[in-house]
mmCIF file of all heavy atoms in Angstrom:
data_model
loop_
_atom_site.group_PDB
_atom_site.id
_atom_site.type_symbol
_atom_site.label_atom_id
_atom_site.label_comp_id
_atom_site.label_asym_id
_atom_site.label_seq_id
_atom_site.Cartn_x
_atom_site.Cartn_y
_atom_site.Cartn_z
ATOM 1 N N ILE A 28 -3.239 -4.469 -6.598
ATOM 2 C CA ILE A 28 -4.100 -3.504 -5.950
ATOM 3 C C ILE A 28 -3.920 -2.079 -6.615
ATOM 4 O O ILE A 28 -4.749 -1.338 -6.916
ATOM 5 C CB ILE A 28 -3.975 -3.492 -4.388
ATOM 6 C CG1 ILE A 28 -4.512 -4.796 -3.843
ATOM 7 C CG2 ILE A 28 -4.580 -2.248 -3.878
ATOM 8 C CD1 ILE A 28 -4.221 -5.026 -2.332
ATOM 9 N N ALA A 29 -2.629 -1.764 -6.694
ATOM 10 C CA ALA A 29 -2.208 -0.437 -7.348
ATOM 11 C C ALA A 29 -2.812 -0.316 -8.685
ATOM 12 O O ALA A 29 -3.378 0.793 -9.122
ATOM 13 C CB ALA A 29 -0.733 -0.302 -7.271
ATOM 14 N N ILE A 30 -2.541 -1.275 -9.576
ATOM 15 C CA ILE A 30 -3.100 -1.182 -10.965
ATOM 16 C C ILE A 30 -4.499 -1.112 -10.963
ATOM 17 O O ILE A 30 -5.115 -0.376 -11.825
ATOM 18 C CB ILE A 30 -2.668 -2.616 -11.709
ATOM 19 C CG1 ILE A 30 -1.084 -2.707 -11.877
ATOM 20 C CG2 ILE A 30 -3.342 -2.602 -13.024
ATOM 21 C CD1 ILE A 30 -0.611 -3.905 -12.349
ATOM 22 N N ALA A 31 -5.209 -1.984 -10.021
ATOM 23 C CA ALA A 31 -6.700 -1.820 -10.036
ATOM 24 C C ALA A 31 -7.241 -0.474 -9.565
ATOM 25 O O ALA A 31 -8.358 -0.218 -9.688
ATOM 26 C CB ALA A 31 -7.297 -2.943 -9.230
ATOM 27 N N SER A 32 -6.371 0.170 -8.722
ATOM 28 C CA SER A 32 -6.889 1.518 -8.274
ATOM 29 C C SER A 32 -6.864 2.622 -9.177
ATOM 30 O O SER A 32 -7.248 3.745 -8.818
ATOM 31 C CB SER A 32 -6.030 1.776 -7.018
ATOM 32 O OG SER A 32 -4.746 2.133 -7.337
ATOM 33 N N GLY A 33 -6.318 2.398 -10.482
ATOM 34 C CA GLY A 33 -6.385 3.448 -11.465
ATOM 35 C C GLY A 33 -5.574 4.700 -11.134
ATOM 36 O O GLY A 33 -4.336 4.612 -10.955
ATOM 37 N N ARG A 34 -6.237 5.841 -10.943
ATOM 38 C CA ARG A 34 -5.454 7.093 -10.716
ATOM 39 C C ARG A 34 -4.838 7.007 -9.422
ATOM 40 O O ARG A 34 -3.840 8.016 -9.132
ATOM 41 C CB ARG A 34 -6.485 8.241 -10.885
ATOM 42 C CG ARG A 34 -6.909 8.519 -12.390
ATOM 43 C CD ARG A 34 -7.694 9.776 -12.548
ATOM 44 N NE ARG A 34 -9.053 9.467 -11.774
ATOM 45 C CZ ARG A 34 -10.112 10.400 -11.648
ATOM 46 N NH1 ARG A 34 -9.866 11.628 -12.231
ATOM 47 N NH2 ARG A 34 -11.116 10.092 -11.056
ATOM 48 N N ARG A 35 -5.249 6.178 -8.510
ATOM 49 C CA ARG A 35 -4.623 6.064 -7.217
ATOM 50 C C ARG A 35 -3.498 5.188 -7.160
ATOM 51 O O ARG A 35 -2.947 4.909 -6.108
ATOM 52 C CB ARG A 35 -5.644 5.714 -6.112
ATOM 53 C CG ARG A 35 -6.828 6.550 -5.926
ATOM 54 C CD ARG A 35 -6.440 7.876 -5.163
ATOM 55 N NE ARG A 35 -5.762 7.683 -3.838
ATOM 56 C CZ ARG A 35 -5.301 8.571 -3.096
ATOM 57 N NH1 ARG A 35 -5.362 9.819 -3.489
ATOM 58 N NH2 ARG A 35 -4.689 8.235 -1.958
ATOM 59 N N ALA A 36 -3.005 4.610 -8.305
ATOM 60 C CA ALA A 36 -1.980 3.610 -8.357
ATOM 61 C C ALA A 36 -0.701 4.199 -7.758
ATOM 62 O O ALA A 36 0.029 3.491 -6.937
ATOM 63 C CB ALA A 36 -1.694 3.238 -9.843
ATOM 64 N N GLY A 37 -0.273 5.315 -8.081
ATOM 65 C CA GLY A 37 0.821 5.861 -7.409
ATOM 66 C C GLY A 37 0.774 6.078 -5.913
ATOM 67 O O GLY A 37 1.889 5.666 -5.353
ATOM 68 N N ALA A 38 -0.223 6.522 -5.455
ATOM 69 C CA ALA A 38 -0.433 6.644 -4.002
ATOM 70 C C ALA A 38 -0.365 5.182 -3.340
ATOM 71 O O ALA A 38 0.328 5.105 -2.187
ATOM 72 C CB ALA A 38 -1.738 7.376 -3.666
ATOM 73 N N ALA A 39 -1.028 4.276 -4.035
ATOM 74 C CA ALA A 39 -1.003 2.980 -3.384
ATOM 75 C C ALA A 39 0.399 2.389 -3.333
ATOM 76 O O ALA A 39 0.815 1.897 -2.268
ATOM 77 C CB ALA A 39 -1.839 1.939 -4.249
ATOM 78 N N LEU A 40 1.227 2.469 -4.338
ATOM 79 C CA LEU A 40 2.594 2.097 -4.356
ATOM 80 C C LEU A 40 3.413 2.877 -3.397
ATOM 81 O O LEU A 40 4.307 2.124 -2.708
ATOM 82 C CB LEU A 40 3.116 2.155 -5.717
ATOM 83 C CG LEU A 40 2.652 1.128 -6.712
ATOM 84 C CD1 LEU A 40 3.278 1.413 -8.147
ATOM 85 C CD2 LEU A 40 2.927 -0.371 -6.294
ATOM 86 N N ARG A 41 3.293 4.112 -3.316
ATOM 87 C CA ARG A 41 3.996 4.933 -2.332
ATOM 88 C C ARG A 41 3.880 4.455 -0.910
ATOM 89 O O ARG A 41 4.837 4.257 -0.145
ATOM 90 C CB ARG A 41 3.752 6.425 -2.520
ATOM 91 C CG ARG A 41 4.429 7.005 -3.747
ATOM 92 C CD ARG A 41 4.276 8.558 -3.593
ATOM 93 N NE ARG A 41 2.945 9.023 -3.461
ATOM 94 C CZ ARG A 41 2.203 9.388 -4.655
ATOM 95 N NH1 ARG A 41 2.868 9.144 -5.813
ATOM 96 N NH2 ARG A 41 1.017 9.775 -4.526
ATOM 97 N N VAL A 42 2.613 4.270 -0.481
ATOM 98 C CA VAL A 42 2.315 3.840 0.901
ATOM 99 C C VAL A 42 2.839 2.472 1.116
ATOM 100 O O VAL A 42 3.490 2.253 2.198
ATOM 101 C CB VAL A 42 0.783 4.010 1.181
ATOM 102 C CG1 VAL A 42 0.555 3.411 2.493
ATOM 103 C CG2 VAL A 42 0.205 5.407 1.043
ATOM 104 N N ALA A 43 2.655 1.597 0.077
ATOM 105 C CA ALA A 43 3.244 0.186 0.352
ATOM 106 C C ALA A 43 4.708 0.285 0.630
ATOM 107 O O ALA A 43 5.193 -0.389 1.425
ATOM 108 C CB ALA A 43 2.746 -0.634 -0.743
ATOM 109 N N LEU A 44 5.305 0.942 -0.307
ATOM 110 C CA LEU A 44 6.902 1.074 -0.321
ATOM 111 C C LEU A 44 7.391 1.699 1.047
ATOM 112 O O LEU A 44 8.355 1.250 1.533
ATOM 113 C CB LEU A 44 7.397 1.758 -1.490
ATOM 114 C CG LEU A 44 7.294 1.080 -2.826
ATOM 115 C CD1 LEU A 44 7.566 2.040 -4.039
ATOM 116 C CD2 LEU A 44 8.210 -0.193 -2.787
ATOM 117 N N ARG A 45 6.638 2.732 1.359
ATOM 118 C CA ARG A 45 7.074 3.469 2.521
ATOM 119 C C ARG A 45 6.764 2.802 3.948
ATOM 120 O O ARG A 45 7.483 2.734 4.878
ATOM 121 C CB ARG A 45 6.346 4.809 2.639
ATOM 122 C CG ARG A 45 6.815 5.900 3.702
ATOM 123 C CD ARG A 45 5.978 7.016 3.712
ATOM 124 N NE ARG A 45 4.682 6.712 4.258
ATOM 125 C CZ ARG A 45 3.628 7.383 3.766
ATOM 126 N NH1 ARG A 45 3.644 8.396 2.929
ATOM 127 N NH2 ARG A 45 2.372 6.955 4.268
ATOM 128 N N ASP A 46 5.671 2.193 4.040
ATOM 129 C CA ASP A 46 5.123 1.757 5.431
ATOM 130 C C ASP A 46 5.101 0.247 5.539
ATOM 131 O O ASP A 46 4.978 -0.186 6.756
ATOM 132 C CB ASP A 46 3.707 2.354 5.505
ATOM 133 C CG ASP A 46 3.550 3.752 5.690
ATOM 134 O OD1 ASP A 46 4.655 4.416 5.718
ATOM 135 O OD2 ASP A 46 2.467 4.229 5.669
ATOM 136 N N ALA A 47 5.314 -0.589 4.516
ATOM 137 C CA ALA A 47 5.119 -2.010 4.628
ATOM 138 C C ALA A 47 6.105 -2.630 5.802
ATOM 139 O O ALA A 47 5.706 -3.422 6.480
ATOM 140 C CB ALA A 47 5.452 -2.735 3.264
ATOM 141 N N SER A 48 7.319 -2.038 5.824
ATOM 142 C CA SER A 48 8.372 -2.529 6.762
ATOM 143 C C SER A 48 7.972 -2.234 8.103
ATOM 144 O O SER A 48 8.538 -2.911 9.094
ATOM 145 C CB SER A 48 9.807 -1.905 6.280
ATOM 146 O OG SER A 48 9.586 -0.559 6.460
ATOM 147 N N ALA A 49 7.074 -1.356 8.350
ATOM 148 C CA ALA A 49 6.760 -0.986 9.747
ATOM 149 C C ALA A 49 5.700 -2.023 10.368
ATOM 150 O O ALA A 49 5.450 -2.177 11.512
ATOM 151 C CB ALA A 49 6.181 0.338 9.794
ATOM 152 N N HIS A 50 5.103 -2.938 9.417
ATOM 153 C CA HIS A 50 3.988 -3.836 9.824
ATOM 154 C C HIS A 50 4.688 -5.001 10.642
ATOM 155 O O HIS A 50 5.863 -5.232 10.432
ATOM 156 C CB HIS A 50 3.264 -4.402 8.638
ATOM 157 C CG HIS A 50 2.083 -5.013 8.916
ATOM 158 N ND1 HIS A 50 1.860 -6.339 9.431
ATOM 159 C CD2 HIS A 50 0.813 -4.563 8.703
ATOM 160 C CE1 HIS A 50 0.620 -6.563 9.516
ATOM 161 N NE2 HIS A 50 -0.063 -5.583 9.146
ATOM 162 N N ARG A 51 4.059 -5.588 11.572
ATOM 163 C CA ARG A 51 4.546 -6.658 12.310
ATOM 164 C C ARG A 51 4.906 -7.931 11.434
ATOM 165 O O ARG A 51 5.635 -8.740 11.800
ATOM 166 C CB ARG A 51 3.605 -7.107 13.373
ATOM 167 C CG ARG A 51 2.350 -7.790 12.951
ATOM 168 C CD ARG A 51 1.311 -7.899 14.031
ATOM 169 N NE ARG A 51 0.098 -8.605 13.547
ATOM 170 C CZ ARG A 51 -0.802 -8.008 12.760
ATOM 171 N NH1 ARG A 51 -0.882 -6.835 12.465
ATOM 172 N NH2 ARG A 51 -1.918 -8.700 12.415
ATOM 173 N N SER A 52 4.196 -7.952 10.287
ATOM 174 C CA SER A 52 4.451 -9.114 9.464
ATOM 175 C C SER A 52 5.401 -8.754 8.342
ATOM 176 O O SER A 52 5.281 -7.620 7.844
ATOM 177 C CB SER A 52 2.933 -9.562 8.870
ATOM 178 O OG SER A 52 3.306 -10.356 7.549
ATOM 179 N N PRO A 53 6.193 -9.616 7.908
ATOM 180 C CA PRO A 53 7.159 -9.218 6.715
ATOM 181 C C PRO A 53 6.399 -9.140 5.394
ATOM 182 O O PRO A 53 6.925 -8.559 4.391
ATOM 183 C CB PRO A 53 8.133 -10.293 6.758
ATOM 184 C CG PRO A 53 7.456 -11.519 7.264
ATOM 185 C CD PRO A 53 6.479 -10.954 8.364
ATOM 186 N N ASN A 54 5.179 -9.545 5.378
ATOM 187 C CA ASN A 54 4.428 -9.586 4.141
ATOM 188 C C ASN A 54 3.070 -8.902 4.134
ATOM 189 O O ASN A 54 2.818 -8.099 3.103
ATOM 190 C CB ASN A 54 4.263 -11.065 3.844
ATOM 191 C CG ASN A 54 5.475 -11.878 3.431
ATOM 192 O OD1 ASN A 54 6.353 -11.315 2.728
ATOM 193 N ND2 ASN A 54 5.574 -12.970 3.902
ATOM 194 N N ALA A 55 2.424 -8.945 5.099
ATOM 195 C CA ALA A 55 1.079 -8.381 5.151
ATOM 196 C C ALA A 55 1.025 -6.850 4.929
ATOM 197 O O ALA A 55 0.019 -6.211 4.478
ATOM 198 C CB ALA A 55 0.311 -8.723 6.464
ATOM 199 N N GLY A 56 2.069 -6.129 5.403
ATOM 200 C CA GLY A 56 2.078 -4.653 5.168
ATOM 201 C C GLY A 56 2.059 -4.364 3.660
ATOM 202 O O GLY A 56 1.590 -3.013 3.443
ATOM 203 N N TRP A 57 2.498 -5.127 2.802
ATOM 204 C CA TRP A 57 2.426 -4.818 1.388
ATOM 205 C C TRP A 57 1.038 -4.530 0.835
ATOM 206 O O TRP A 57 0.627 -3.563 0.291
ATOM 207 C CB TRP A 57 3.319 -5.743 0.581
ATOM 208 C CG TRP A 57 4.727 -5.623 0.923
ATOM 209 C CD1 TRP A 57 5.345 -6.250 1.800
ATOM 210 C CD2 TRP A 57 5.655 -4.626 0.120
ATOM 211 N NE1 TRP A 57 6.748 -5.685 1.808
ATOM 212 C CE2 TRP A 57 6.923 -4.814 0.738
ATOM 213 C CE3 TRP A 57 5.347 -3.778 -0.955
ATOM 214 C CZ2 TRP A 57 7.991 -4.116 0.353
ATOM 215 C CZ3 TRP A 57 6.550 -3.069 -1.307
ATOM 216 C CH2 TRP A 57 7.830 -3.219 -0.797
ATOM 217 N N PRO A 58 0.157 -5.567 0.828
ATOM 218 C CA PRO A 58 -1.174 -5.406 0.384
ATOM 219 C C PRO A 58 -1.954 -4.474 1.286
ATOM 220 O O PRO A 58 -2.826 -3.730 0.661
ATOM 221 C CB PRO A 58 -1.835 -6.828 0.371
ATOM 222 C CG PRO A 58 -0.988 -7.572 1.368
ATOM 223 C CD PRO A 58 0.430 -7.026 1.225
ATOM 224 N N GLU A 59 -1.771 -4.473 2.668
ATOM 225 C CA GLU A 59 -2.508 -3.533 3.423
ATOM 226 C C GLU A 59 -2.059 -2.020 3.058
ATOM 227 O O GLU A 59 -2.888 -1.213 3.119
ATOM 228 C CB GLU A 59 -2.243 -3.848 4.880
ATOM 229 C CG GLU A 59 -2.904 -5.098 5.319
ATOM 230 C CD GLU A 59 -2.858 -5.429 6.860
ATOM 231 O OE1 GLU A 59 -2.626 -4.575 7.585
ATOM 232 O OE2 GLU A 59 -2.886 -6.637 7.199
ATOM 233 N N GLY A 60 -0.805 -1.720 2.969
ATOM 234 C CA GLY A 60 -0.404 -0.483 2.564
ATOM 235 C C GLY A 60 -0.874 -0.021 1.259
ATOM 236 O O GLY A 60 -1.297 1.099 1.177
ATOM 237 N N ALA A 61 -0.852 -0.903 0.271
ATOM 238 C CA ALA A 61 -1.387 -0.510 -1.001
ATOM 239 C C ALA A 61 -2.854 -0.272 -0.880
ATOM 240 O O ALA A 61 -3.372 0.723 -1.540
ATOM 241 C CB ALA A 61 -1.130 -1.701 -2.038
ATOM 242 N N MET A 62 -3.569 -0.944 -0.102
ATOM 243 C CA MET A 62 -5.008 -0.776 0.079
ATOM 244 C C MET A 62 -5.232 0.614 0.797
ATOM 245 O O MET A 62 -6.128 1.434 0.295
ATOM 246 C CB MET A 62 -5.666 -1.846 0.858
ATOM 247 C CG MET A 62 -7.100 -1.592 1.283
ATOM 248 S SD MET A 62 -8.167 -1.881 -0.137
ATOM 249 C CE MET A 62 -8.310 -3.692 -0.089
ATOM 250 N N ALA A 63 -4.419 0.873 1.861
ATOM 251 C CA ALA A 63 -4.624 2.271 2.469
ATOM 252 C C ALA A 63 -4.288 3.305 1.477
ATOM 253 O O ALA A 63 -5.045 4.361 1.528
ATOM 254 C CB ALA A 63 -3.561 2.247 3.761
ATOM 255 N N GLY A 64 -3.223 3.181 0.622
ATOM 256 C CA GLY A 64 -2.969 4.235 -0.329
ATOM 257 C C GLY A 64 -4.085 4.322 -1.315
ATOM 258 O O GLY A 64 -4.440 5.467 -1.789
ATOM 259 N N ALA A 65 -4.531 3.307 -1.885
ATOM 260 C CA ALA A 65 -5.602 3.349 -2.865
ATOM 261 C C ALA A 65 -6.849 3.947 -2.482
ATOM 262 O O ALA A 65 -7.519 4.612 -3.240
ATOM 263 C CB ALA A 65 -5.799 1.863 -3.286
ATOM 264 N N LEU A 66 -7.193 3.717 -1.144
ATOM 265 C CA LEU A 66 -8.509 4.245 -0.600
ATOM 266 C C LEU A 66 -8.264 5.619 0.133
ATOM 267 O O LEU A 66 -9.216 6.173 0.522
ATOM 268 C CB LEU A 66 -9.075 3.239 0.253
ATOM 269 C CG LEU A 66 -9.522 1.964 -0.329
ATOM 270 C CD1 LEU A 66 -10.201 1.088 0.760
ATOM 271 C CD2 LEU A 66 -10.518 2.073 -1.380
ATOM 272 N N ASP A 67 -6.978 5.983 0.361
ATOM 273 C CA ASP A 67 -6.672 7.211 1.010
ATOM 274 C C ASP A 67 -7.335 7.272 2.403
ATOM 275 O O ASP A 67 -7.980 8.139 2.972
ATOM 276 C CB ASP A 67 -7.306 8.444 0.263
ATOM 277 C CG ASP A 67 -6.652 9.706 0.877
ATOM 278 O OD1 ASP A 67 -5.645 9.662 1.528
ATOM 279 O OD2 ASP A 67 -7.368 10.853 0.762
#
């Protein structure tokens, strides 16, 4: 998702790395966090 977001790649990765662990799922927070960062 980060690669596909182009110029938002850094933001996508930052949000995923920062917020994924707060998600109730040990895995779903990663793609959802990247999506949130990519779309701001």
